[in-house]
PDB file of all heavy atoms in Angstrom:
ATOM      1  N   THR A   1      18.249  31.862 -27.301  1.00 90.00           N
ATOM      2  CA  THR A   1      17.853  30.792 -26.373  1.00 90.00           C
ATOM      3  C   THR A   1      16.890  31.344 -25.336  1.00 90.00           C
ATOM      4  O   THR A   1      17.234  32.258 -24.578  1.00 90.00           O
ATOM      5  CB  THR A   1      19.088  30.189 -25.676  1.00 90.00           C
ATOM      6  OG1 THR A   1      19.993  29.684 -26.673  1.00 90.00           O
ATOM      7  CG2 THR A   1      18.677  29.057 -24.747  1.00 90.00           C
ATOM      8  N   LYS A   2      15.688  30.813 -25.299  1.00 90.00           N
ATOM      9  CA  LYS A   2      14.626  31.323 -24.436  1.00 90.00           C
ATOM     10  C   LYS A   2      15.022  31.297 -22.959  1.00 90.00           C
ATOM     11  O   LYS A   2      15.585  30.327 -22.465  1.00 90.00           O
ATOM     12  CB  LYS A   2      13.358  30.489 -24.647  1.00 90.00           C
ATOM     13  CG  LYS A   2      12.147  30.999 -23.870  1.00 90.00           C
ATOM     14  CD  LYS A   2      10.925  30.147 -24.166  1.00 90.00           C
ATOM     15  CE  LYS A   2       9.721  30.641 -23.371  1.00 90.00           C
ATOM     16  NZ  LYS A   2       8.508  29.813 -23.639  1.00 90.00           N
ATOM     17  N   GLY A   3      14.751  32.412 -22.275  1.00 92.00           N
ATOM     18  CA  GLY A   3      14.928  32.472 -20.830  1.00 92.00           C
ATOM     19  C   GLY A   3      16.348  32.641 -20.349  1.00 92.00           C
ATOM     20  O   GLY A   3      16.607  32.511 -19.149  1.00 92.00           O
ATOM     21  N   VAL A   4      17.283  32.953 -21.254  1.00 96.00           N
ATOM     22  CA  VAL A   4      18.680  33.072 -20.831  1.00 96.00           C
ATOM     23  C   VAL A   4      19.180  34.511 -21.016  1.00 96.00           C
ATOM     24  O   VAL A   4      19.262  35.280 -20.052  1.00 96.00           O
ATOM     25  CB  VAL A   4      19.583  32.080 -21.586  1.00 96.00           C
ATOM     26  CG1 VAL A   4      21.040  32.221 -21.120  1.00 96.00           C
ATOM     27  CG2 VAL A   4      19.117  30.651 -21.341  1.00 96.00           C
ATOM     28  N   GLY A   5      19.509  34.891 -22.247  1.00 95.00           N
ATOM     29  CA  GLY A   5      20.026  36.236 -22.477  1.00 95.00           C
ATOM     30  C   GLY A   5      19.082  37.315 -21.983  1.00 95.00           C
ATOM     31  O   GLY A   5      19.514  38.322 -21.405  1.00 95.00           O
ATOM     32  N   GLN A   6      17.791  37.118 -22.180  1.00 95.00           N
ATOM     33  CA  GLN A   6      16.795  38.100 -21.747  1.00 95.00           C
ATOM     34  C   GLN A   6      16.799  38.268 -20.233  1.00 95.00           C
ATOM     35  O   GLN A   6      16.773  39.388 -19.711  1.00 95.00           O
ATOM     36  CB  GLN A   6      15.413  37.663 -22.235  1.00 95.00           C
ATOM     37  CG  GLN A   6      14.303  38.658 -21.965  1.00 95.00           C
ATOM     38  CD  GLN A   6      12.959  38.185 -22.492  1.00 95.00           C
ATOM     39  OE1 GLN A   6      12.808  37.030 -22.877  1.00 95.00           O
ATOM     40  NE2 GLN A   6      11.976  39.073 -22.513  1.00 95.00           N
ATOM     41  N   ASN A   7      16.853  37.142 -19.503  1.00 97.00           N
ATOM     42  CA  ASN A   7      16.863  37.209 -18.037  1.00 97.00           C
ATOM     43  C   ASN A   7      18.138  37.850 -17.514  1.00 97.00           C
ATOM     44  O   ASN A   7      18.112  38.633 -16.548  1.00 97.00           O
ATOM     45  CB  ASN A   7      16.718  35.799 -17.459  1.00 97.00           C
ATOM     46  CG  ASN A   7      15.378  35.171 -17.786  1.00 97.00           C
ATOM     47  OD1 ASN A   7      14.994  35.082 -18.950  1.00 97.00           O
ATOM     48  ND2 ASN A   7      14.650  34.729 -16.764  1.00 97.00           N
ATOM     49  N   ILE A   8      19.270  37.522 -18.145  1.00 97.00           N
ATOM     50  CA  ILE A   8      20.544  38.078 -17.699  1.00 97.00           C
ATOM     51  C   ILE A   8      20.597  39.586 -17.965  1.00 97.00           C
ATOM     52  O   ILE A   8      21.078  40.360 -17.131  1.00 97.00           O
ATOM     53  CB  ILE A   8      21.715  37.335 -18.379  1.00 97.00           C
ATOM     54  CG1 ILE A   8      21.837  35.925 -17.802  1.00 97.00           C
ATOM     55  CG2 ILE A   8      23.030  38.090 -18.207  1.00 97.00           C
ATOM     56  CD1 ILE A   8      22.840  35.045 -18.495  1.00 97.00           C
ATOM     57  N   LEU A   9      20.083  40.019 -19.122  1.00 96.00           N
ATOM     58  CA  LEU A   9      20.042  41.449 -19.414  1.00 96.00           C
ATOM     59  C   LEU A   9      19.131  42.178 -18.423  1.00 96.00           C
ATOM     60  O   LEU A   9      19.464  43.282 -17.962  1.00 96.00           O
ATOM     61  CB  LEU A   9      19.567  41.697 -20.846  1.00 96.00           C
ATOM     62  CG  LEU A   9      19.464  43.165 -21.264  1.00 96.00           C
ATOM     63  CD1 LEU A   9      20.827  43.857 -21.197  1.00 96.00           C
ATOM     64  CD2 LEU A   9      18.887  43.291 -22.672  1.00 96.00           C
ATOM     65  N   ALA A  10      17.985  41.585 -18.093  1.00 95.00           N
ATOM     66  CA  ALA A  10      17.082  42.203 -17.118  1.00 95.00           C
ATOM     67  C   ALA A  10      17.787  42.397 -15.773  1.00 95.00           C
ATOM     68  O   ALA A  10      17.624  43.431 -15.111  1.00 95.00           O
ATOM     69  CB  ALA A  10      15.831  41.346 -16.942  1.00 95.00           C
ATOM     70  N   ALA A  11      18.598  41.411 -15.381  1.00 96.00           N
ATOM     71  CA  ALA A  11      19.354  41.528 -14.128  1.00 96.00           C
ATOM     72  C   ALA A  11      20.429  42.599 -14.235  1.00 96.00           C
ATOM     73  O   ALA A  11      20.642  43.385 -13.305  1.00 96.00           O
ATOM     74  CB  ALA A  11      19.984  40.181 -13.775  1.00 96.00           C
ATOM     75  N   ALA A  12      21.102  42.663 -15.375  1.00 95.00           N
ATOM     76  CA  ALA A  12      22.176  43.639 -15.556  1.00 95.00           C
ATOM     77  C   ALA A  12      21.636  45.062 -15.557  1.00 95.00           C
ATOM     78  O   ALA A  12      22.229  45.970 -14.956  1.00 95.00           O
ATOM     79  CB  ALA A  12      22.916  43.360 -16.867  1.00 95.00           C
ATOM     80  N   MET A  13      20.486  45.272 -16.239  1.00 93.00           N
ATOM     81  CA  MET A  13      19.918  46.623 -16.352  1.00 93.00           C
ATOM     82  C   MET A  13      18.987  46.963 -15.190  1.00 93.00           C
ATOM     83  O   MET A  13      18.627  48.121 -15.007  1.00 93.00           O
ATOM     84  CB  MET A  13      19.120  46.737 -17.664  1.00 93.00           C
ATOM     85  CG  MET A  13      19.905  46.491 -18.929  1.00 93.00           C
ATOM     86  SD  MET A  13      21.152  47.752 -19.290  1.00 93.00           S
ATOM     87  CE  MET A  13      22.645  46.890 -18.749  1.00 93.00           C
ATOM     88  N   ASN A  14      18.569  45.932 -14.441  1.00 91.00           N
ATOM     89  CA  ASN A  14      17.545  46.102 -13.403  1.00 91.00           C
ATOM     90  C   ASN A  14      16.321  46.818 -13.974  1.00 91.00           C
ATOM     91  O   ASN A  14      15.801  47.782 -13.405  1.00 91.00           O
ATOM     92  CB  ASN A  14      18.097  46.856 -12.195  1.00 91.00           C
ATOM     93  CG  ASN A  14      17.178  46.736 -10.978  1.00 91.00           C
ATOM     94  OD1 ASN A  14      16.312  45.855 -10.921  1.00 91.00           O
ATOM     95  ND2 ASN A  14      17.359  47.622 -10.011  1.00 91.00           N
ATOM     96  N   ALA A  15      15.885  46.313 -15.132  1.00 89.00           N
ATOM     97  CA  ALA A  15      14.739  46.898 -15.834  1.00 89.00           C
ATOM     98  C   ALA A  15      14.051  45.802 -16.636  1.00 89.00           C
ATOM     99  O   ALA A  15      14.682  44.796 -16.995  1.00 89.00           O
ATOM    100  CB  ALA A  15      15.197  48.018 -16.771  1.00 89.00           C
ATOM    101  N   PRO A  16      12.757  45.968 -16.925  1.00 91.00           N
ATOM    102  CA  PRO A  16      12.066  44.975 -17.754  1.00 91.00           C
ATOM    103  C   PRO A  16      12.682  44.896 -19.149  1.00 91.00           C
ATOM    104  O   PRO A  16      13.045  45.917 -19.731  1.00 91.00           O
ATOM    105  CB  PRO A  16      10.626  45.505 -17.827  1.00 91.00           C
ATOM    106  CG  PRO A  16      10.494  46.434 -16.673  1.00 91.00           C
ATOM    107  CD  PRO A  16      11.850  47.042 -16.478  1.00 91.00           C
ATOM    108  N   VAL A  17      12.799  43.685 -19.661  1.00 93.00           N
ATOM    109  CA  VAL A  17      13.352  43.468 -21.006  1.00 93.00           C
ATOM    110  C   VAL A  17      12.310  42.736 -21.847  1.00 93.00           C
ATOM    111  O   VAL A  17      11.788  41.697 -21.429  1.00 93.00           O
ATOM    112  CB  VAL A  17      14.661  42.663 -20.953  1.00 93.00           C
ATOM    113  CG1 VAL A  17      15.140  42.302 -22.358  1.00 93.00           C
ATOM    114  CG2 VAL A  17      15.740  43.456 -20.224  1.00 93.00           C
ATOM    115  N   ALA A  18      12.025  43.280 -23.028  1.00 91.00           N
ATOM    116  CA  ALA A  18      11.032  42.693 -23.925  1.00 91.00           C
ATOM    117  C   ALA A  18      11.716  42.135 -25.160  1.00 91.00           C
ATOM    118  O   ALA A  18      12.679  42.717 -25.670  1.00 91.00           O
ATOM    119  CB  ALA A  18       9.995  43.743 -24.322  1.00 91.00           C
ATOM    120  N   LEU A  19      11.207  41.024 -25.645  1.00 88.00           N
ATOM    121  CA  LEU A  19      11.640  40.454 -26.918  1.00 88.00           C
ATOM    122  C   LEU A  19      10.438  40.375 -27.833  1.00 88.00           C
ATOM    123  O   LEU A  19       9.363  39.927 -27.421  1.00 88.00           O
ATOM    124  CB  LEU A  19      12.224  39.053 -26.746  1.00 88.00           C
ATOM    125  CG  LEU A  19      13.549  38.883 -26.012  1.00 88.00           C
ATOM    126  CD1 LEU A  19      13.986  37.425 -26.089  1.00 88.00           C
ATOM    127  CD2 LEU A  19      14.621  39.776 -26.600  1.00 88.00           C
ATOM    128  N   MET A  20      10.611  40.822 -29.075  1.00 80.00           N
ATOM    129  CA  MET A  20       9.541  40.721 -30.061  1.00 80.00           C
ATOM    130  C   MET A  20       9.802  39.537 -30.985  1.00 80.00           C
ATOM    131  O   MET A  20      10.937  39.067 -31.091  1.00 80.00           O
ATOM    132  CB  MET A  20       9.456  42.010 -30.878  1.00 80.00           C
ATOM    133  CG  MET A  20       9.011  43.210 -30.060  1.00 80.00           C
ATOM    134  SD  MET A  20       8.919  44.695 -31.065  1.00 80.00           S
ATOM    135  CE  MET A  20       8.066  45.795 -29.930  1.00 80.00           C
ATOM    136  N   SER A  21       8.770  39.115 -31.685  1.00 68.00           N
ATOM    137  CA  SER A  21       8.929  37.974 -32.594  1.00 68.00           C
ATOM    138  C   SER A  21       9.878  38.293 -33.729  1.00 68.00           C
ATOM    139  O   SER A  21      10.464  37.395 -34.333  1.00 68.00           O
ATOM    140  CB  SER A  21       7.572  37.568 -33.160  1.00 68.00           C
ATOM    141  OG  SER A  21       6.982  38.636 -33.881  1.00 68.00           O
ATOM    142  N   THR A  22      10.064  39.580 -34.023  1.00 57.00           N
ATOM    143  CA  THR A  22      10.964  39.993 -35.102  1.00 57.00           C
ATOM    144  C   THR A  22      12.404  40.119 -34.645  1.00 57.00           C
ATOM    145  O   THR A  22      13.286  40.414 -35.453  1.00 57.00           O
ATOM    146  CB  THR A  22      10.519  41.356 -35.665  1.00 57.00           C
ATOM    147  OG1 THR A  22      10.423  42.292 -34.582  1.00 57.00           O
ATOM    148  CG2 THR A  22       9.185  41.253 -36.364  1.00 57.00           C
ATOM    149  N   ALA A  23      12.660  39.903 -33.349  1.00 53.00           N
ATOM    150  CA  ALA A  23      14.003  40.132 -32.813  1.00 53.00           C
ATOM    151  C   ALA A  23      15.057  39.293 -33.515  1.00 53.00           C
ATOM    152  O   ALA A  23      16.196  39.717 -33.697  1.00 53.00           O
ATOM    153  CB  ALA A  23      14.029  39.856 -31.309  1.00 53.00           C
ATOM    154  N   GLY A  24      14.669  38.087 -33.943  1.00 54.00           N
ATOM    155  CA  GLY A  24      15.628  37.209 -34.602  1.00 54.00           C
ATOM    156  C   GLY A  24      16.103  37.743 -35.939  1.00 54.00           C
ATOM    157  O   GLY A  24      17.224  37.475 -36.363  1.00 54.00           O
ATOM    158  N   GLU A  25      15.225  38.489 -36.659  1.00 62.00           N
ATOM    159  CA  GLU A  25      15.618  39.059 -37.954  1.00 62.00           C
ATOM    160  C   GLU A  25      16.481  40.296 -37.758  1.00 62.00           C
ATOM    161  O   GLU A  25      17.322  40.620 -38.575  1.00 62.00           O
ATOM    162  CB  GLU A  25      14.368  39.401 -38.777  1.00 62.00           C
ATOM    163  CG  GLU A  25      13.477  38.205 -39.085  1.00 62.00           C
ATOM    164  CD  GLU A  25      14.161  37.145 -39.928  1.00 62.00           C
ATOM    165  OE1 GLU A  25      15.244  37.416 -40.481  1.00 62.00           O
ATOM    166  OE2 GLU A  25      13.620  36.034 -40.019  1.00 62.00           O
ATOM    167  N   GLY A  26      16.226  41.048 -36.691  1.00 77.00           N
ATOM    168  CA  GLY A  26      17.086  42.157 -36.302  1.00 77.00           C
ATOM    169  C   GLY A  26      17.250  43.248 -37.330  1.00 77.00           C
ATOM    170  O   GLY A  26      16.310  43.659 -38.020  1.00 77.00           O
ATOM    171  N   GLY A  27      18.509  43.723 -37.459  1.00 88.00           N
ATOM    172  CA  GLY A  27      18.820  44.882 -38.272  1.00 88.00           C
ATOM    173  C   GLY A  27      18.397  44.824 -39.727  1.00 88.00           C
ATOM    174  O   GLY A  27      17.866  45.810 -40.260  1.00 88.00           O
ATOM    175  N   PRO A  28      18.632  43.716 -40.439  1.00 95.00           N
ATOM    176  CA  PRO A  28      18.229  43.680 -41.852  1.00 95.00           C
ATOM    177  C   PRO A  28      16.727  43.910 -42.037  1.00 95.00           C
ATOM    178  O   PRO A  28      16.307  44.598 -42.964  1.00 95.00           O
ATOM    179  CB  PRO A  28      18.640  42.276 -42.300  1.00 95.00           C
ATOM    180  CG  PRO A  28      19.652  41.827 -41.318  1.00 95.00           C
ATOM    181  CD  PRO A  28      19.315  42.490 -40.024  1.00 95.00           C
ATOM    182  N   TRP A  29      15.933  43.324 -41.136  1.00 94.00           N
ATOM    183  CA  TRP A  29      14.487  43.556 -41.185  1.00 94.00           C
ATOM    184  C   TRP A  29      14.178  45.016 -40.856  1.00 94.00           C
ATOM    185  O   TRP A  29      13.325  45.641 -41.504  1.00 94.00           O
ATOM    186  CB  TRP A  29      13.773  42.619 -40.205  1.00 94.00           C
ATOM    187  CG  TRP A  29      12.275  42.790 -40.207  1.00 94.00           C
ATOM    188  CD1 TRP A  29      11.399  42.334 -41.139  1.00 94.00           C
ATOM    189  CD2 TRP A  29      11.500  43.487 -39.228  1.00 94.00           C
ATOM    190  NE1 TRP A  29      10.112  42.697 -40.809  1.00 94.00           N
ATOM    191  CE2 TRP A  29      10.152  43.405 -39.631  1.00 94.00           C
ATOM    192  CE3 TRP A  29      11.818  44.174 -38.052  1.00 94.00           C
ATOM    193  CZ2 TRP A  29       9.112  43.988 -38.895  1.00 94.00           C
ATOM    194  CZ3 TRP A  29      10.784  44.740 -37.316  1.00 94.00           C
ATOM    195  CH2 TRP A  29       9.451  44.640 -37.735  1.00 94.00           C
ATOM    196  N   GLY A  30      14.881  45.567 -39.868  1.00 94.00           N
ATOM    197  CA  GLY A  30      14.698  46.981 -39.536  1.00 94.00           C
ATOM    198  C   GLY A  30      15.015  47.888 -40.713  1.00 94.00           C
ATOM    199  O   GLY A  30      14.320  48.879 -40.970  1.00 94.00           O
ATOM    200  N   MET A  31      16.060  47.535 -41.486  1.00 98.00           N
ATOM    201  CA  MET A  31      16.404  48.330 -42.665  1.00 98.00           C
ATOM    202  C   MET A  31      15.332  48.218 -43.734  1.00 98.00           C
ATOM    203  O   MET A  31      14.988  49.197 -44.397  1.00 98.00           O
ATOM    204  CB  MET A  31      17.759  47.883 -43.224  1.00 98.00           C
ATOM    205  CG  MET A  31      18.300  48.787 -44.338  1.00 98.00           C
ATOM    206  SD  MET A  31      18.674  50.473 -43.800  1.00 98.00           S
ATOM    207  CE  MET A  31      17.478  51.446 -44.721  1.00 98.00           C
ATOM    208  N   ALA A  32      14.779  47.011 -43.896  1.00 98.00           N
ATOM    209  CA  ALA A  32      13.690  46.829 -44.857  1.00 98.00           C
ATOM    210  C   ALA A  32      12.476  47.663 -44.462  1.00 98.00           C
ATOM    211  O   ALA A  32      11.819  48.270 -45.321  1.00 98.00           O
ATOM    212  CB  ALA A  32      13.321  45.350 -44.956  1.00 98.00           C
ATOM    213  N   VAL A  33      12.178  47.733 -43.167  1.00 97.00           N
ATOM    214  CA  VAL A  33      11.059  48.546 -42.683  1.00 97.00           C
ATOM    215  C   VAL A  33      11.306  50.028 -42.973  1.00 97.00           C
ATOM    216  O   VAL A  33      10.395  50.749 -43.398  1.00 97.00           O
ATOM    217  CB  VAL A  33      10.820  48.300 -41.178  1.00 97.00           C
ATOM    218  CG1 VAL A  33       9.851  49.334 -40.604  1.00 97.00           C
ATOM    219  CG2 VAL A  33      10.292  46.891 -40.942  1.00 97.00           C
ATOM    220  N   LEU A  34      12.533  50.497 -42.746  1.00 98.00           N
ATOM    221  CA  LEU A  34      12.860  51.898 -43.063  1.00 98.00           C
ATOM    222  C   LEU A  34      12.693  52.182 -44.553  1.00 98.00           C
ATOM    223  O   LEU A  34      12.225  53.264 -44.942  1.00 98.00           O
ATOM    224  CB  LEU A  34      14.289  52.218 -42.616  1.00 98.00           C
ATOM    225  CG  LEU A  34      14.509  52.341 -41.102  1.00 98.00           C
ATOM    226  CD1 LEU A  34      16.004  52.461 -40.793  1.00 98.00           C
ATOM    227  CD2 LEU A  34      13.767  53.551 -40.543  1.00 98.00           C
ATOM    228  N   ALA A  35      13.073  51.214 -45.387  1.00 98.00           N
ATOM    229  CA  ALA A  35      12.902  51.390 -46.837  1.00 98.00           C
ATOM    230  C   ALA A  35      11.421  51.416 -47.203  1.00 98.00           C
ATOM    231  O   ALA A  35      10.988  52.191 -48.069  1.00 98.00           O
ATOM    232  CB  ALA A  35      13.628  50.273 -47.590  1.00 98.00           C
ATOM    233  N   ALA A  36      10.609  50.573 -46.537  1.00 97.00           N
ATOM    234  CA  ALA A  36       9.166  50.568 -46.783  1.00 97.00           C
ATOM    235  C   ALA A  36       8.544  51.885 -46.340  1.00 97.00           C
ATOM    236  O   ALA A  36       7.646  52.419 -47.012  1.00 97.00           O
ATOM    237  CB  ALA A  36       8.517  49.396 -46.038  1.00 97.00           C
ATOM    238  N   TYR A  37       9.001  52.417 -45.212  1.00 97.00           N
ATOM    239  CA  TYR A  37       8.518  53.719 -44.717  1.00 97.00           C
ATOM    240  C   TYR A  37       8.785  54.798 -45.753  1.00 97.00           C
ATOM    241  O   TYR A  37       7.918  55.644 -46.028  1.00 97.00           O
ATOM    242  CB  TYR A  37       9.202  54.038 -43.401  1.00 97.00           C
ATOM    243  CG  TYR A  37       8.927  55.424 -42.848  1.00 97.00           C
ATOM    244  CD1 TYR A  37       7.633  55.827 -42.543  1.00 97.00           C
ATOM    245  CD2 TYR A  37       9.963  56.321 -42.609  1.00 97.00           C
ATOM    246  CE1 TYR A  37       7.377  57.090 -42.012  1.00 97.00           C
ATOM    247  CE2 TYR A  37       9.726  57.578 -42.082  1.00 97.00           C
ATOM    248  CZ  TYR A  37       8.428  57.962 -41.786  1.00 97.00           C
ATOM    249  OH  TYR A  37       8.179  59.208 -41.272  1.00 97.00           O
ATOM    250  N   MET A  38       9.956  54.773 -46.368  1.00 96.00           N
ATOM    251  CA  MET A  38      10.283  55.739 -47.427  1.00 96.00           C
ATOM    252  C   MET A  38       9.352  55.552 -48.622  1.00 96.00           C
ATOM    253  O   MET A  38       8.809  56.528 -49.167  1.00 96.00           O
ATOM    254  CB  MET A  38      11.732  55.567 -47.872  1.00 96.00           C
ATOM    255  CG  MET A  38      12.129  56.383 -49.084  1.00 96.00           C
ATOM    256  SD  MET A  38      13.491  55.627 -50.013  1.00 96.00           S
ATOM    257  CE  MET A  38      12.745  54.105 -50.578  1.00 96.00           C
ATOM    258  N   ALA A  39       9.153  54.295 -49.022  1.00 95.00           N
ATOM    259  CA  ALA A  39       8.346  54.022 -50.211  1.00 95.00           C
ATOM    260  C   ALA A  39       6.886  54.411 -50.013  1.00 95.00           C
ATOM    261  O   ALA A  39       6.205  54.831 -50.966  1.00 95.00           O
ATOM    262  CB  ALA A  39       8.445  52.543 -50.580  1.00 95.00           C
ATOM    263  N   GLU A  40       6.395  54.289 -48.775  1.00 91.00           N
ATOM    264  CA  GLU A  40       4.987  54.580 -48.484  1.00 91.00           C
ATOM    265  C   GLU A  40       4.795  55.940 -47.815  1.00 91.00           C
ATOM    266  O   GLU A  40       3.689  56.244 -47.351  1.00 91.00           O
ATOM    267  CB  GLU A  40       4.426  53.517 -47.534  1.00 91.00           C
ATOM    268  CG  GLU A  40       4.495  52.090 -48.033  1.00 91.00           C
ATOM    269  CD  GLU A  40       4.049  51.110 -46.958  1.00 91.00           C
ATOM    270  OE1 GLU A  40       3.120  51.436 -46.190  1.00 91.00           O
ATOM    271  OE2 GLU A  40       4.639  50.023 -46.870  1.00 91.00           O
ATOM    272  N   LYS A  41       5.814  56.751 -47.762  1.00 81.00           N
ATOM    273  CA  LYS A  41       5.825  57.953 -46.919  1.00 81.00           C
ATOM    274  C   LYS A  41       4.570  58.792 -47.071  1.00 81.00           C
ATOM    275  O   LYS A  41       4.184  59.188 -48.158  1.00 81.00           O
ATOM    276  CB  LYS A  41       7.057  58.819 -47.243  1.00 81.00           C
ATOM    277  CG  LYS A  41       7.229  60.052 -46.357  1.00 81.00           C
ATOM    278  CD  LYS A  41       7.643  59.663 -44.948  1.00 81.00           C
ATOM    279  CE  LYS A  41       8.146  60.859 -44.145  1.00 81.00           C
ATOM    280  NZ  LYS A  41       7.094  61.793 -43.769  1.00 81.00           N
ATOM    281  N   GLN A  42       3.959  59.051 -45.907  1.00 74.00           N
ATOM    282  CA  GLN A  42       2.818  59.962 -45.829  1.00 74.00           C
ATOM    283  C   GLN A  42       3.267  61.172 -45.033  1.00 74.00           C
ATOM    284  O   GLN A  42       3.838  61.045 -43.951  1.00 74.00           O
ATOM    285  CB  GLN A  42       1.633  59.279 -45.147  1.00 74.00           C
ATOM    286  CG  GLN A  42       1.139  58.042 -45.883  1.00 74.00           C
ATOM    287  CD  GLN A  42       0.111  57.263 -45.073  1.00 74.00           C
ATOM    288  OE1 GLN A  42      -0.376  57.730 -44.062  1.00 74.00           O
ATOM    289  NE2 GLN A  42      -0.203  56.063 -45.536  1.00 74.00           N
TER     290      GLN A  42
END
């Protein structure tokens, strides 16, 4: 929910909080990226 959890976390941490467009996909997308990194490893 826009403007809620992010604002509350910023207050709790007293630090800037960023959200990316991929935040909704979260961990499964992160795991897919790690697998792609392995497949394309340079």
Side-chain angles (χ1 to χ4, degrees):
T1 302
K2 184 178 179 180
V4 180
Q6 185 179 11
N7 295 55
I8 289 173
L9 179 61
M13 300 292 102
N14 194 17
V17 173
L19 292 185
M20 293 180 169
S21 60
T22 54
E25 300 298 348
W29 181 77
M31 188 64 246
V33 169
L34 288 172
Y37 173 60
M38 172 207 64
E40 301 174 36
K41 184 71 166 71
Q42 299 171 11

